[in-house]
């Protein structure tokens, strides 16, 4: 029966009883935004055991309609009734390839065959059958290395692999030679005679004459649908192409409102097949694990990167961080003796008292600075030296007065009766470049310690009588935790470990899941019945294996090879790193679901990492942050975890210590938060990863 929007033609044809329908679409509306209304009230009927050819130009809504039928996209309004909504009864070939390019032809067959519960022997038998029918490429060839025509043949064979009762094929013959296209149409005819129902879209209008029913679509509407012979006879045309042209002319001449969706509270919204497929099934999970194994074996570069990055990061950290800078350049203005003559007056560890000797204290201090690898540059006036500091030629400047050592002696001998000018002349003057705070603190420390050592050497046999003058009024005992000679690296090491364990799983998960989403790969496997839970769980098992290996690598290099302080329980520390890694992995799911490209997700991941480094106490103690940050950074992921690992490694705290178990608790809470966010994102984004 011919059906079209033309009212006169519709009135002239007597209504017939509705045929037995395998697929029925009524008043289907779909839009992606206010200006992109793709389906404008589509209605069509696909009879059981027939081939339905859907014709129309690119952009008319054919692919969107098929996506709605198979559940990739939901209608905004309308009804789609399927004779069977069991996903195993549907075979879907999308317009795009939607197959993982790193898998081989054989691996693709095993992956989809396992999804549908076929045994290995059944899959091999089906491959041989389709190989003879469609002349498939060699089974060991990668999808990425196939021509476009070869890829479409594999895609079609995968859609037919599980022998579905309803076949939905989007442009299956594009790019194929006429002989192979003929074989495909003959096979589809045989399938329909065997009880299969087939919906096929095609750009080749005349090849659609093989279909039992043809629906002609334009601008989101079905212009007409009936058997090809009936259409040509009714419109007095010799070809379907002429029929379509005439229908387009009729459609263009009409003034029809196409800008908005209907307002109808009675319009039914029907759940699609995938919405009824929420149960976890072992066969699909096993298929995803099989695919992950194939990809790990194939993508060795990613495997090496994931296992090698922790080693590279920790090695470079220990080689670059924590060691005191060497060969720092400082300037000296020595007015009491020429620097070249200082070597003759160095007063090293003897029993003489400098009060009775011709000794220069400036030379002794310069000697101590040389021992600390400082490079000395001689200057004769302050102005030139300050210019050198501004040019970054030197980091600091020391000035000794012309009677520096004699003033020290007079000050010691006179005590509290020392004259003011004597006191002034006994001071060492010091200027430093404070633009690099750590360098300035280091230089100030070394100058102070060098001066103390110089005085000890100058005192000699008069040491006992001068203890009250030269001794610091403080006794420094051994540190309770760590050592008195601890380095900055010891403080930063726990933060480095935690950042690494959080960031690496985050990036790997984000990029792997985006690979699944891109090019429709995720949509196709979801259409085949796979659930996102099964995909995520299979990935999690692989990722947790990586996390365990990475944690072992980091602990060995950081705390065994480089001997950073670790005095607590290895088991507790290792467990904390695993929890941090799992939390990072779950956050990776959030980034993958909230971004559509690797570029955007990469920016989000790097930005997150930078913010964490600034706020979590990795570089600087949290106690030194501004008031607001100081009391809020404990709610930042891994802040408490870093404190916990620092307590475990440097203080030997156990799980019963508040700081340690709060590190575990905070990471578990963040893992639950990230999981909740990813679940909401998945539900809101389901079926909309790829708009076509």
């Amino acid at each position: 029966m011919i059906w079209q929007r033309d009212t006169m033609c519709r009135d002239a044809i007597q209504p017939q009883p509705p045929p037995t329908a395998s697929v029925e679409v009524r008043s289907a509306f779909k839009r992606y935004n206010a200006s992109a209304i793709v389906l404008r009230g589509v209605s069509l009927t696909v009879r059981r055991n027939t081939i339905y050819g859907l014709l129309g130009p690119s952009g008319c809504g054919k692919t969107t309609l098929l996506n709605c039928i198979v559940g990739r996209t939901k209608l905004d309004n309308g009804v789609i009734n399927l004779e069977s909504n069991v996903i195993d009864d549907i075979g879907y070939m999308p317009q795009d390839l939607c197959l993982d390019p790193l898998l081989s032809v054989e691996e693709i067959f095993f992956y989809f065959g396992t999804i549908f519960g076929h045994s290995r022997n059944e899959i091999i038998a089906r491959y041989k059958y389709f190989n003879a029918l469609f002349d498939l490429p060699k089974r060991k060839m990668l999808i990425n290395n196939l021509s476009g025509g070869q890829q479409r043949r594999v895609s079609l064979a995968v859609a037919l692999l599980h022998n579905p009762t309803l076949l939905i094929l989007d442009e299956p013959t594009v790019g194929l030679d006429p002989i192979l296209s003929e074989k495909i149409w003959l096979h589809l005819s045989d399938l329909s005679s065997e009880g299969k129902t087939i919906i096929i879209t095609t750009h080749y209008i005349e090849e659609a004459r093989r279909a039992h029913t043809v629906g002609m679509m334009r601008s989101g509407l079905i212009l007409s649908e009936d058997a090809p012979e009936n259409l040509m006879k009714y419109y007095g045309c010799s070809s379907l192409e002429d029929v379509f042209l005439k229908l387009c002319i009729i459609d263009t001449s009409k003034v029809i409102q196409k800008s908005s969706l209907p307002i109808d509270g009675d319009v039914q919204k029907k759940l699609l097949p995938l919405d009824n497929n929420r149960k976890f099934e072992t066969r699909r999970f096993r298929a995803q694990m099989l695919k992950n194994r194939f990809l790990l074996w194939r993508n060795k570069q990613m495997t090496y990167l994931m296992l090698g990055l922790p080693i590279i990061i920790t090695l470079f950290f220990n080689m670059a961080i924590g060691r005191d800078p060497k060969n720092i350049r400082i300037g000296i203005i020595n007015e009491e003796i020429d620097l070249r003559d200082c070597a003759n007056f160095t007063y090293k560890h003897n029993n003489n008292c400098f009060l009775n000797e011709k000794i220069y204290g400036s030379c002794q201090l310069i000697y101590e600075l040389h021992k600390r690898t400082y490079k000395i540059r001689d200057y004769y006036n302050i102005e030139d030296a300050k210019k050198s500091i501004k040019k970054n030629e030197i980091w600091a400047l020391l000035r000794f007065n012309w009677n520096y050592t004699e003033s020290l002696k007079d000050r010691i001998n006179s005590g509290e009766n020392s004259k003011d000018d004597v006191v002034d002349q006994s001071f060492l003057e010091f200027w430093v470049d404070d633009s690099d705070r750590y360098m300035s603190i280091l230089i100030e420390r070394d100058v102070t310690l060098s001066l103390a050592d110089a005085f000890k050497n100058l005192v000699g046999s008069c040491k006992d009588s001068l203890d009250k003058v030269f001794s610091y009024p403080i006794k420094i005992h051994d540190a309770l935790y760590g050592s008195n000679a601890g380095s900055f690296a010891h403080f930063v090491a726990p933060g480095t470990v935690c950042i690494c364990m959080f960031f690496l799983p985050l990036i790997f998960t984000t990029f792997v899941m985006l690979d699944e989403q891109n090019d429709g790969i995720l949509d196709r496997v979801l259409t085949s019945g796979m659930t996102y839970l099964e995909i995520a769980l299979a990935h999690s098992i692989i990722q947790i294996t990586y996390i365990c290996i990475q944690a072992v690598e980091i602990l060995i290099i950081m705390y065994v090879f480089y001997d950073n302080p670790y005095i607590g329980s290895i088991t507790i520390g290792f467990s904390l790193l695993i929890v941090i890694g799992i939390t990072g992995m779950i956050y990776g799911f959030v980034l993958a679901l909230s971004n559509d490209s690797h570029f955007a997700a990469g920016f989000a991941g790097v930005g997150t990492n930078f913010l964490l480094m600034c706020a979590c106490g990795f570089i600087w103690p949290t106690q030194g942050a501004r008031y607001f940050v100081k009391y809020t950074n404990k709610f930042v992921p891994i802040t408490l975890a870093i404190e916990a690992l620092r307590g475990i490694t440097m203080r030997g705290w156990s799980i019963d210590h508040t700081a340690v178990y709060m590190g575990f608790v905070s990471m578990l809470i963040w893992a639950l938060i990230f999981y909740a966010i990813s679940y909401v994102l998945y539900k809101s984004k389901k079926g909309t990863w790829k708009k076509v």
Side-chain angles (χ1 to χ4, degrees), residues 296-312 508 546 550 553:
L296 286 176
W297 177 255
R298 186 68 30 70
N299 195 359
K300 294 184 176 65
Q301 289 181 336
M302 177 61 76
T303 302
Y304 296 152
L305 187 65
M306 290 302 299
L307 298 181
L309 267 180
I311 298 175
I312 295 172
F508 180 69
Y546 272 137
Q550 290 168 342
E553 291 175 341

Side-chain angles (χ1 to χ4, degrees), residues 6-39:
D6 189 302
T7 306
M8 292 186 297
C9 294
R10 188 163 59 239
D11 293 340
I13 302 174
Q14 296 297 322
Q16 300 292 329
T20 303
S22 181
V23 177
E24 192 174 41
V25 180
R26 291 291 175 263
S27 302
F29 286 83
K30 177 66 183 177
R31 66 178 173 190
Y32 293 124
N33 54 58
S35 60
I37 302 178
V38 184
L39 302 180

Side-chain angles (χ1 to χ4, degrees), residues 109-127:
F109 268 79
F110 277 114
Y111 175 51
F112 281 93
T114 306
I115 287 177
F116 292 107
H118 293 312
S119 66
R120 180 180 180 85
N121 291 335
E122 290 173 331
I123 296 170
I124 293 174
R126 294 292 285 175
Y127 170 80

